[in-house]
Each structure stands twice: as C-alpha cells, then as structure tokens.
Amino acid sequence: MKNTKRLTGRVTIFFALIPTAILTGCGGAFISNQQQQPPPSTDPDARADAMLARMTQKQKLQLVMGGVTSNLTYGYTVPRGAGGWVPGIPSLGIPALYLADGSVGVDAGVGQATVLPSAIANAASWDLNEATKYGTVIGTELTDYGINVNLGGNVNLTGREPRDGRTFETKGEDPILAGKINAAHISAIQAQHIIGMMKHFSFNDQESGRATANVVIDERGGRESDLLAFEISVKDSNAQSVMCSYNLTNGVYNCENSHLLNDILKTDWSFPGFVMTDWWAVTDTVAGPNAGLDQEQPNQLYFSSLGAAIASGAVPQSRLDNMVHRILRAMYAAGLFDYPQTIQPIPAAADAAIAQEIEETGAVLLKNSASQLPLNAASMQSIAVIGSHADTWVLSGGGSAQVDPVGGGIHGPQPCPPCWATVTWVPSSPMHAIQALAPNAHLQYADGSDADAAANLAASAQVAIVFVNNWGSEGMDQTTLGLTDYVDTTPINQDALVSAVAAANPHTIVVIESDGPVLMPWLSQVSAVLEAWFPGQNGGPAIANLLFGVVNPSGKLPITFPASDAQLPRPVIPQPPDDITPFDVNYIESYNVGYKWFDSQGLTPLFPFGFGLSYTTFSITNASLTNNLSSASNPNLQVSFTLANTGAVAGSEVAQVYLGLPASLNEPPRRLVGWQKVPLQPGASQSVTIEVDENDSSHPLSYWDTGSNAWTLGAGTYTVYLGDADNAATLQTVGTFTVTP
Ligand code: BGC
C-alpha cells in the first residue's frame, strides 16, 4: 500500500560506523576513477551524454531506481540515515546519491540538526534574503552530513486547504510569493552542490486520502495557481529534480501523468532535470516512464521489471537513455562530480542564530490593543506564563519534514490515533528568555491543564502570556481550523483556557505556535496576539525578543486566516471511501486560491493575506504608475511611492502591489504582482520603485489562454493597487492602464 509510510526505525546505520573512505565519497574511494571522467566542461548535458555512452544497460537501470531492494514500506536501511539512496558506480566514477528530506531542516533520520522555523514562517518574512539564509542552513547541514539530494521544496498552495497537516512545510497560498520564496530556498541549497527539488508535483493539497485523491481542476485554473508556483520555482532556481505526488489529477496518477510531466514540466517549462516518485508513488512499470517519470524511489517495486519492459518494446530504449541523461546532467549541474563532500560537524551555533533571525523576521503580530506590546522590561514586576510547555520547549512539525533538534527533541503524547509522527518539542524555553529580558519580574508558570489555576495565576500578575498550539504533521489533516484540544498528560481545551485567563487579566497576550491558520473565538477578549508558527531551534529567545520589542515584528501573513471553516471552498475536507478507490476532490475555486477566493466570494476573513502589525506606523504617499509595456525588450510597470516610518521606533514594512485585470477576463479581483520589504528608522522615509516585469517567470500581467495554450496579455483596462501600510486588504488605487487588442 503506497500510502503506508515508515514510522521510525528506518535509520539503522549511523555514519560513525562507516569507514571514512566511503563517507568521503568521490573525495575518497573514487579518486582514482576521477581520472576516467570526461574532460571537465561547463555543459552538464554534454558531460551526461559522454558518460551515458560509456554505460552498460545494467548500469543505466541502476541509476533510475532506489537502492532499497526489500519490499518493506518502512524500517528499511539506507546509508547515512538517508530517506533514499542510489548506489554509485565506482568503475565510472559516478557517485552514489544520498537523498534526505529537508523542508525545515535536515531529516531527523540523518542526525541532529538545526530546526528552522516553519517554511511558512520564512514565507511570512516576504524577504528573499531571509529565504536564501534559510536554504543555506539546510544546504550546509545536508552537505556536512554527506547528503547530496534534498527532498525539500514543498510549494503546494496551502490556501486551498489550510487544514492540511503539511501547511508548515509550504510557503502559503499565493503562487508568486510561494514560488519566489521556494526558488530562493532551492537556489541556496543547490549553491552547496546538492541537487535541489520542488515537490509535490502537483495539487497535493490535502493529506486525507492523499494516495487516491483525484483533483479535478480546469487547465487555466491550474496554470494560474499551483502550477504557477511550480513554474516560478523551477525557472528561478534551476532546480534539478522534481518529486511527483501520490494523488491523481483529472483522473491520472501524477507520476504517470504525461500532461503534467511531459507537456507542462518538460516541454512548456523546459525542465532539464529528473522526476522522481514520492515514496512508493508508482503503480506500474510502463506507464510512469512513458509519461515522463525518471526515477522510482525508494525501492524497485516496479522498475525492477523495467529492463524487461524495454526488451519487449513497451518502454523505448530512448526513454531509458533520456531518464539516465536527466539524472546524470542533474548531478553534473549541481556539482556532485566536481565538489566532493566532506563529512563534518554542522555549524550548530551559527545556524541556531540564523534560525532565530528567521523567526524574528517571520512572526506576525496580529493584534495589539492599546499598545499592549512591546512589554516594557523596566516596569515589569510580575508575569504569568501559561501553557504549551513554554517553560521548557517550543513545538515543531511532524512527518518526513521532522528535524531532530540539536540537543535532542522531547517526544510528547500522540494527539491523534492514528498519527504517523510523534509530537516533537524543541529545547528552547520562551519563559527563560522572557525572564532574561525582564530580570526583575516575578515569573510564574502554569501548564494550563487546570484553567482555574491558570486564571488565578493570571489574576495575580501584571500581564499574562498564554501559549497555545496547533500541531501539524504529514499523514493527517485537521478536521477544523479551531485549536484542537491539546493532548498532554491531561487534555487541554485551549480556547477555554485563553478565555479563562483573559477574564482574569485584561492584559492577556496570546502566542500561537501553529501549523497554519487557526480560529480565535477569544480574539476580542485578549489584548495582543502573536502568530509565532513553529518557531524553531531558538524559538524561545526569538519570541521573547518580539514581545519586548528588542525586535520589531515585521512578518505579514502569507496565508489568509479564515473566520470559520464554512468560509473555505470545501467546508469539510473530502474523505476517501477506502484505501484504494480514487475519489474526486473538486477544485471549484479554480485559480481563486486563498485571498482570491475570499475576494471573489465577498467573504471577510479573520485576518487577511498580507496582514501584519508593527510597533511603529508607516505611511505610503505620492504613489504613481509608469507604464513601459510598449518596450519590446523589457515590458514592465513601475510603481513608485514614498514609504515613511511615522512612528517612534525602527521597523520594516512590506509594500505590496496588486493588479486587477480587465473584468472581461473574469480573473480574481486582485492578484499580488510585486512587493518590497523596506527597513526604516523612526521619522525616515524612502522613495521606492517596485518594477513588475511582464517577462518574469510569474507572468504577472497575463492570464492563461486555453485557446492558444499560452500566457496572454488580454485587452482591456487594468488597475494597479498598493496595499495600505499595516493592512494589505485595504487597497489604494495607484493608476490604470489599457491594453488594446
Ligand atoms: C513524503 C515526501 C518525502 C518522502 C521521503 C513521503 O512520504 O510525501 O515529502 O520526501 O516521504 O521521506
């Protein structure tokens, strides 16, 4: 059953037991073979062809499937603790591939590593420099562990299904923001000479019945939403691998879907690298390769018969040659032949500091009545800290993206039978960090299991800081966006806990550690709310710095926070009838994902996409539009304005440019087409110009025309908007322009 996944125990060999010569890969055991390499060239295709010409059929077949020969779907053993492995061919100097997850840090099976804040927290920074740092941490640590293929780059658009248990791995709901952040991650990972990946291609937006869900979507809707996020990811990053997903699209399994793999990915987008299956996401020996699939992982359930399928003519020899060419060219392009890895300790302290910065730039301040925050350390005499193990740990996401934190994780009770993964807490104490910033305050902690005791503690303190959490993991979805009753030694109704504390103390601050959006029935009762996501290895100090204004919050929501489940396109997540029968998930919203759905339906969310407060205030003035669309070489729009920090402290604002297409095109009321994050000292202002290039991979001005099968600039009048400072949902019109037929 291909949706069965290993739980634990996959890793039975630790690198400490492996001789150094093997660990150093081509730097050690393969050195003599490197003399047999084709002459160095910058052309990975030419080098791949030269290598291919020297390979036997057996050697070719070895490269297109995982090295795991058992049929086990869990508990298998792979060198270096990797999730997958393709043995090298020493006689030709071809290094082995070691594949490991790494969406928010190095896969737990590989070894202890830096837990980065959720990928969605990084998207909330709206900052490609921060995204590059994020990818660099993952790439550096993978290479230090001797891993050379990263199974990261999750860019499924979660706004379609924000209850998806993998929301924390994604980059939110907007195809352009998600695509750009994902591309920055992949580029930074590949800069470490590791093959980067984007996944799960495509429309893998819910975990419920993920192996049998048949997504039904129209071509234009797909091209302008999930597929656009992938298109940007692959074009901007030059990603060398793609993972096809378990689910079906319009009736065809994605790993056998020629329209997705051959027509769109390899032809329209000119993707030169290779497509591998998600784990066991293959159902046939012939259909996948003929549809554009290049590698089966992690084992050889179907591809062990590929040689026979080629001999019989069912799969052409030219297809196998192309599969091998694509894998080899990815290895050359990423530098696997030219940059042998050195296994060494990860730079844990430096990377923890980056993890802290990522959290500080990605946390989103959602409410701050009467300037409750930042807390004034000098005047703090007593603070009640309540709930979510805030005395010792912060929460992390589960499943294949789980990282084993530096210092070891703490495993909590399962919140759901059946969960695949265990709840893992990261050793970083918000309470201790708060105490360090307010050394004179009397700090007390209540675990929240007794709401009355927590309320009594809150009543006796100057401020109460309640930590709530909503765990997320691969292999499960939430049934509701509401905070789940948190399972601990005693189950905790977290909504009731917040209300009880807020009733006892008018200065109640809520810190949310969640997979993604949550409902907040107590919102009007509390004075401040900070969305901290899963805050990573140094989550404690980062949260404390944000609460006390050592750092000014600057994150903006990359995903809409709905006011209820009923506002979603599918108020109830479609469920599979059984484990094998495909069932339809109708994407009635088409390209109207996330805020586009809310706009098109006239719905008011709890917090809109792009929203996030600061401890200072900003103004946007003198906005103007320059239309350079007639330029043949660089058709673009330029949106210019003055951004000023009108408050008393330094801060960063994200200016957001949206476009309304002509009504006749029936597009969403607005789409994000550009943004810039600008740091400003108090009283300072800056002239900003955001350029929107029509030739960019994001096709910002165009729609997908199914008649011509191409991105097309439609005729009619377009309107350019700037999101208001502090509330992107409030738009000011910058100008209009007309495209004539
Ligand atoms: C997940 C992938 C992951 C793979 C290997 C699958 O269950 O869907 O995202 O890369 O396992 O761990």
Side-chain angles (χ1 to χ4, degrees), residues 5-6 101 166 199-200 210 243 246 278 400 474:
K5 181 81 167 63
R6 82 279 185 275
D101 284 294
R166 304 188 79 166
K199 72 183 186 185
H200 310 80
R210 69 177 183 176
M243 180 183 280
Y246 296 108
D278 201 340
S400 59
E474 182 183 347

Side-chain angles (χ1 to χ4, degrees), residues 150-363:
N150 173 228
L151 311 172
N154 186 337
V155 75
N156 296 123
L157 285 192
T158 28
R160 285 193 190 278
E161 187 39 80
R163 294 159 295 193
D164 178 6
R166 304 188 79 166
T167 299
F168 72 98
E169 295 180 41
T170 73
K171 287 86 193 175
E173 70 189 20
D174 181 81
I176 302 186
L177 178 64
K180 297 286 178 189
I181 295 283
N182 201 44
H185 287 181
I186 297 168
S187 296
I189 288 165
Q190 290 198 159
Q192 304 303 316
H193 306 299
I194 288 170
I195 294 175
M197 163 177 286
M198 59 173 201
K199 72 183 186 185
H200 310 80
F201 191 64
S202 184
F203 307 111
N204 184 186
D205 302 318
Q206 68 176 53
E207 287 296 279
S208 307
R210 69 177 183 176
T212 48
N214 174 40
V215 167
V216 181
I217 185 165
D218 62 297
E219 182 74 16
R220 178 172 168 186
R223 295 273 191 165
E224 293 187 13
S225 59
D226 302 51
L227 294 177
L228 180 56
F230 280 102
E231 181 175 359
I232 296 165
S233 298
V234 71
K235 287 184 174 171
D236 285 17
S237 73
N238 197 21
Q240 291 299 318
S241 73
V242 169
M243 180 183 280
C244 51
S245 55
Y246 296 108
N247 56 292
L248 304 84
T249 300
N250 294 329
V252 184
Y253 282 107
N254 282 356
C255 292
E256 300 170 359
N257 196 318
S258 186
H259 184 51
L260 283 177
L261 303 182
N262 280 331
D263 300 346
I264 296 178
L265 177 67
K266 292 184 173 177
T267 305
D268 290 353
W269 302 345
S270 306
F271 170 66
F274 67 105
V275 178
M276 75 170 70
T277 63
D278 201 340
W279 266 220
W280 306 284
V282 62
T283 56
D284 189 77
T285 305
V286 173
N290 284 345
L293 174 64
D294 301 307
Q295 193 178 68
E296 179 183 0
Q297 287 293 350
N299 48 6
Q300 327 183 332
L301 288 178
Y302 289 90
F303 281 20
S304 53
S305 311
L306 188 58
I310 291 165
S312 76
V315 175
Q317 177 67 37
S318 58
R319 184 71 262 275
L320 176 65
D321 289 348
N322 180 255
M323 291 156 78
V324 178
H325 171 95
R326 285 172 171 277
I327 294 164
L328 286 170
R329 79 89 62 198
M331 295 170 72
Y332 284 115
L336 269 55
F337 284 86
D338 303 326
Y339 298 89
Q341 294 173 314
T342 305
I343 307 250
Q344 57 189 5
I346 63 164
D351 286 357
I354 297 172
Q356 182 170 330
E357 178 183 315
I358 302 282
E359 174 63 11
E360 290 171 349
T361 52

Side-chain angles (χ1 to χ4, degrees), residues 2 15 23 94 107 139-140 151 201 211 224 249 263 313 355 377 384 442 509 518 541 559 647 680 712:
K2 70 182 174 182
F15 67 79
L23 285 174
I94 299 177
D107 178 3
T140 305
L151 311 172
F201 191 64
E224 293 187 13
T249 300
D263 300 346
H442 179 52
I509 298 151
V518 297
I559 188 167
L680 286 170
T712 305

Side-chain angles (χ1 to χ4, degrees), residues 144 438 516 701 730:
D144 287 345
L701 308 180
T730 311

